[in-house]
Amino acid sequence: MSAQPGPRTRLAGGLLLWYAVLGGALAWAIHLMLAWGIDELTCASGSDRIGAVPLRVVVALAVVLPALATVGALLAAALAWRRTAHTRPDGIAEGTLGRTRLLAALGLWANLLFLAIILLGGVALLVFPPCQR
């Protein structure tokens, strides 16, 4: 006999699963808006600094922070995949477990893709000189 999880536990697990599936996509969107937007707007103003901070440092942060969020989503997806691998807890319908496993697999592959996109986009932003005319 197993105890049913409480509503707070189910909510936390559901939010963690959604983060595992959509975290990389949201991090990529934030990276896209921040890294490229800051680069374009700063260069359009005729500067290569934002306040006292060089543009490359700000762009590097706009690459590293979303990449870390994507790695976190990837780890959450791997955890969900692993937890649904072999065991079937009592009281959980087969369809629910299958959907969770499918979403975890989707999260694994999507987050790997978004991590590659963020890192390669960051390489392009950091290799080429900022404000190239």
Side-chain angles (χ1 to χ4, degrees):
M1 183 156 92
S2 68
Q4 292 292 326
R8 294 181 89 187
T9 303
R10 279 185 272 156
L11 176 64
L15 291 176
L16 185 65
L17 183 62
W18 280 112
Y19 171 63
V21 174
L22 298 175
L26 292 174
W28 172 66
I30 290 169
H31 158 73
L32 196 62
M33 298 300 286
L34 286 179
W36 290 100
I38 288 172
D39 185 51
E40 290 294 322
L41 290 174
T42 303
C43 292
S45 71
S47 177
D48 64 346
R49 300 177 84 68
I50 298 175
V53 181
L55 182 59
R56 282 192 185 271
V57 172
V58 174
V59 169
L61 284 174
V63 170
V64 170
L65 294 177
L68 289 175
T70 304
V71 168
L74 183 62
L75 292 175
L79 177 67
W81 173 264
R82 185 172 174 206
R83 292 236 171 132
T84 58
H86 300 293
T87 60
R88 186 175 166 267
D90 294 335
I92 296 179
E94 185 72 29
T96 302
L97 194 61
R99 281 190 300 272
T100 302
R101 189 154 172 84
L102 176 69
L103 287 173
L106 175 68
L108 282 170
W109 289 106
N111 288 322
L112 283 173
L113 175 68
F114 286 118
L115 183 61
I117 291 170
I118 290 170
L119 293 178
L120 292 175
V123 167
L125 283 170
L126 295 173
V127 167
F128 297 119
C131 304
Q132 194 176 22
R133 304 261 182 216

